Short mmCIF file of all heavy atoms in Angstrom, two decimals:
data_model
loop_
_atom_site.label_atom_id
_atom_site.label_comp_id
_atom_site.label_asym_id
_atom_site.label_seq_id
_atom_site.Cartn_x
_atom_site.Cartn_y
_atom_site.Cartn_z
N VAL A 27 -67.28 22.44 -0.78
CA VAL A 27 -67.18 21.04 -1.26
C VAL A 27 -66.19 20.28 -0.38
O VAL A 27 -64.96 20.48 -0.50
CB VAL A 27 -66.67 21.06 -2.72
CG1 VAL A 27 -66.63 19.61 -3.26
CG2 VAL A 27 -67.46 21.95 -3.63
N PRO A 28 -66.68 19.41 0.49
CA PRO A 28 -65.72 18.60 1.30
C PRO A 28 -65.21 17.40 0.48
O PRO A 28 -65.99 16.84 -0.28
CB PRO A 28 -66.61 18.06 2.41
CG PRO A 28 -67.98 18.26 2.06
CD PRO A 28 -68.07 19.18 0.85
N THR A 29 -63.89 17.17 0.53
CA THR A 29 -63.35 16.05 -0.25
C THR A 29 -62.23 15.35 0.61
O THR A 29 -61.84 15.96 1.58
CB THR A 29 -62.66 16.51 -1.59
OG1 THR A 29 -61.29 16.95 -1.27
CG2 THR A 29 -63.41 17.55 -2.27
N MET A 30 -61.82 14.23 0.10
CA MET A 30 -60.66 13.58 0.73
C MET A 30 -59.50 13.64 -0.27
O MET A 30 -58.50 12.86 -0.13
CB MET A 30 -60.95 12.07 1.07
CG MET A 30 -62.14 12.01 2.13
SD MET A 30 -62.09 10.52 3.11
CE MET A 30 -62.29 9.28 1.89
N GLY A 31 -59.49 14.58 -1.25
CA GLY A 31 -58.45 14.74 -2.20
C GLY A 31 -58.46 13.65 -3.20
O GLY A 31 -59.40 12.97 -3.44
N HIS A 37 -65.03 15.39 -8.84
CA HIS A 37 -64.92 16.42 -7.88
C HIS A 37 -65.03 17.80 -8.49
O HIS A 37 -65.60 18.68 -7.98
CB HIS A 37 -63.55 16.30 -7.15
CG HIS A 37 -63.35 15.13 -6.29
ND1 HIS A 37 -62.47 14.14 -6.66
CD2 HIS A 37 -63.91 14.67 -5.11
CE1 HIS A 37 -62.50 13.18 -5.71
NE2 HIS A 37 -63.31 13.53 -4.78
N SER A 54 -62.42 21.45 1.06
CA SER A 54 -61.49 20.87 2.10
C SER A 54 -60.91 19.58 1.46
O SER A 54 -61.55 18.83 0.70
CB SER A 54 -62.25 20.57 3.31
OG SER A 54 -63.34 19.61 3.14
N PHE A 56 -59.24 16.41 3.29
CA PHE A 56 -58.97 15.81 4.49
C PHE A 56 -59.27 14.31 4.44
O PHE A 56 -60.44 13.95 4.27
CB PHE A 56 -59.69 16.50 5.64
CG PHE A 56 -59.50 15.89 7.02
CD1 PHE A 56 -58.25 15.98 7.61
CD2 PHE A 56 -60.49 15.20 7.66
CE1 PHE A 56 -58.03 15.42 8.91
CE2 PHE A 56 -60.29 14.65 8.96
CZ PHE A 56 -59.05 14.74 9.49
N VAL A 57 -58.25 13.45 4.58
CA VAL A 57 -58.51 12.00 4.55
C VAL A 57 -58.90 11.66 6.04
O VAL A 57 -58.11 11.68 6.90
CB VAL A 57 -57.29 11.22 4.06
CG1 VAL A 57 -57.70 9.73 4.06
CG2 VAL A 57 -56.90 11.61 2.73
N ASN A 58 -60.21 11.44 6.20
CA ASN A 58 -60.82 11.34 7.53
C ASN A 58 -60.59 9.94 8.18
O ASN A 58 -61.35 9.00 7.77
CB ASN A 58 -62.28 11.66 7.40
CG ASN A 58 -63.04 11.44 8.63
OD1 ASN A 58 -62.52 11.66 9.77
ND2 ASN A 58 -64.34 11.00 8.52
N GLN A 61 -63.68 7.54 9.23
CA GLN A 61 -64.59 6.82 8.44
C GLN A 61 -64.04 5.55 7.71
O GLN A 61 -64.69 4.98 6.96
CB GLN A 61 -65.19 7.80 7.36
CG GLN A 61 -64.24 8.20 6.25
CD GLN A 61 -64.87 9.26 5.37
OE1 GLN A 61 -64.99 10.46 5.81
NE2 GLN A 61 -65.29 8.98 4.20
N TYR A 71 -55.09 4.95 0.80
CA TYR A 71 -55.92 5.93 0.14
C TYR A 71 -54.99 6.99 -0.50
O TYR A 71 -54.04 7.45 0.06
CB TYR A 71 -56.90 6.65 1.18
CG TYR A 71 -58.01 7.31 0.41
CD1 TYR A 71 -59.15 6.57 0.13
CD2 TYR A 71 -57.96 8.55 0.00
CE1 TYR A 71 -60.20 7.10 -0.59
CE2 TYR A 71 -59.03 9.21 -0.70
CZ TYR A 71 -60.06 8.43 -0.98
OH TYR A 71 -61.09 8.96 -1.76
N HIS A 124 -68.65 3.24 9.47
CA HIS A 124 -68.23 4.25 8.43
C HIS A 124 -69.07 5.56 8.40
O HIS A 124 -68.48 6.68 8.43
CB HIS A 124 -68.40 3.55 7.03
CG HIS A 124 -68.28 4.48 5.84
ND1 HIS A 124 -67.08 5.04 5.51
CD2 HIS A 124 -69.24 4.88 4.95
CE1 HIS A 124 -67.28 5.80 4.40
NE2 HIS A 124 -68.57 5.68 4.08
N GLY A 127 -68.44 7.94 11.20
CA GLY A 127 -67.12 8.67 10.94
C GLY A 127 -67.41 9.83 9.91
O GLY A 127 -66.95 10.94 10.10
N VAL A 128 -68.24 9.52 8.89
CA VAL A 128 -68.59 10.54 7.94
C VAL A 128 -69.34 11.70 8.63
O VAL A 128 -69.10 12.88 8.40
CB VAL A 128 -69.42 10.00 6.74
CG1 VAL A 128 -70.01 11.10 5.84
CG2 VAL A 128 -68.54 9.08 5.89
N VAL A 131 -67.06 14.00 10.73
CA VAL A 131 -66.27 14.96 9.97
C VAL A 131 -67.11 16.05 9.28
O VAL A 131 -66.77 17.20 9.26
CB VAL A 131 -65.24 14.24 9.02
CG1 VAL A 131 -65.91 13.77 7.73
CG2 VAL A 131 -64.09 15.13 8.71
N VAL A 132 -68.27 15.56 8.72
CA VAL A 132 -69.07 16.54 7.98
C VAL A 132 -69.68 17.56 8.96
O VAL A 132 -69.67 18.73 8.66
CB VAL A 132 -70.11 15.79 7.12
CG1 VAL A 132 -71.18 16.79 6.61
CG2 VAL A 132 -69.48 14.99 6.01
N LEU A 135 -66.86 19.90 9.92
CA LEU A 135 -66.47 20.85 8.84
C LEU A 135 -67.55 21.86 8.59
O LEU A 135 -67.27 23.05 8.39
CB LEU A 135 -66.23 20.00 7.54
CG LEU A 135 -64.97 19.20 7.53
CD1 LEU A 135 -64.89 18.18 6.29
CD2 LEU A 135 -63.68 20.12 7.44
N PHE A 146 -72.38 17.47 -2.87
CA PHE A 146 -71.98 16.08 -2.79
C PHE A 146 -72.34 15.30 -4.06
O PHE A 146 -73.37 15.71 -4.70
CB PHE A 146 -72.65 15.41 -1.54
CG PHE A 146 -72.22 15.97 -0.22
CD1 PHE A 146 -72.89 17.07 0.29
CD2 PHE A 146 -71.22 15.43 0.44
CE1 PHE A 146 -72.52 17.61 1.52
CE2 PHE A 146 -70.81 15.95 1.62
CZ PHE A 146 -71.44 17.06 2.20
N GLY A 147 -71.57 14.31 -4.40
CA GLY A 147 -71.75 13.54 -5.63
C GLY A 147 -72.80 12.43 -5.38
O GLY A 147 -72.80 11.80 -4.33
N ASP A 150 -71.98 8.51 -4.30
CA ASP A 150 -72.10 8.03 -2.91
C ASP A 150 -73.58 8.23 -2.44
O ASP A 150 -73.87 9.14 -1.61
CB ASP A 150 -71.15 8.76 -1.98
CG ASP A 150 -69.68 8.49 -2.39
OD1 ASP A 150 -69.32 7.35 -2.29
OD2 ASP A 150 -68.99 9.41 -2.82
N GLN A 153 -74.38 7.88 1.15
CA GLN A 153 -73.72 9.02 1.94
C GLN A 153 -74.63 10.31 1.92
O GLN A 153 -74.82 10.99 2.93
CB GLN A 153 -72.37 9.28 1.41
CG GLN A 153 -71.75 10.56 2.01
CD GLN A 153 -70.28 10.73 1.59
OE1 GLN A 153 -69.43 10.10 2.26
NE2 GLN A 153 -69.98 11.47 0.59
N ILE A 157 -76.23 12.24 4.98
CA ILE A 157 -75.91 13.68 5.25
C ILE A 157 -77.16 14.51 5.33
O ILE A 157 -77.35 15.40 6.19
CB ILE A 157 -74.84 14.21 4.25
CG1 ILE A 157 -73.52 13.49 4.57
CG2 ILE A 157 -74.77 15.69 4.32
CD1 ILE A 157 -72.43 13.70 3.48
O1 PAF B 301 -67.17 11.64 0.00
C1 PAF B 301 -66.12 11.89 0.51
O2 PAF B 301 -65.08 12.12 -0.04
C2 PAF B 301 -66.03 11.84 2.07
O3 PAF B 301 -66.85 10.83 2.58
C3 PAF B 301 -66.36 13.18 2.73
C4 PAF B 301 -67.82 13.57 2.45
C5 PAF B 301 -65.43 14.22 2.08
C6 PAF B 301 -66.22 13.10 4.19
O4 PAF B 301 -64.90 12.73 4.54
#
Side-chain angles (χ1 to χ4, degrees):
V27 184
T29 82
M30 298 206 298
H37 294 110
S54 62
F56 179 66
V57 182
N58 172 34
Q61 72 187 73
Y71 201 85
H124 168 67
V128 170
V131 79
V132 169
L135 288 168
F146 295 88
D150 295 299
Q153 170 170 278
I157 289 168

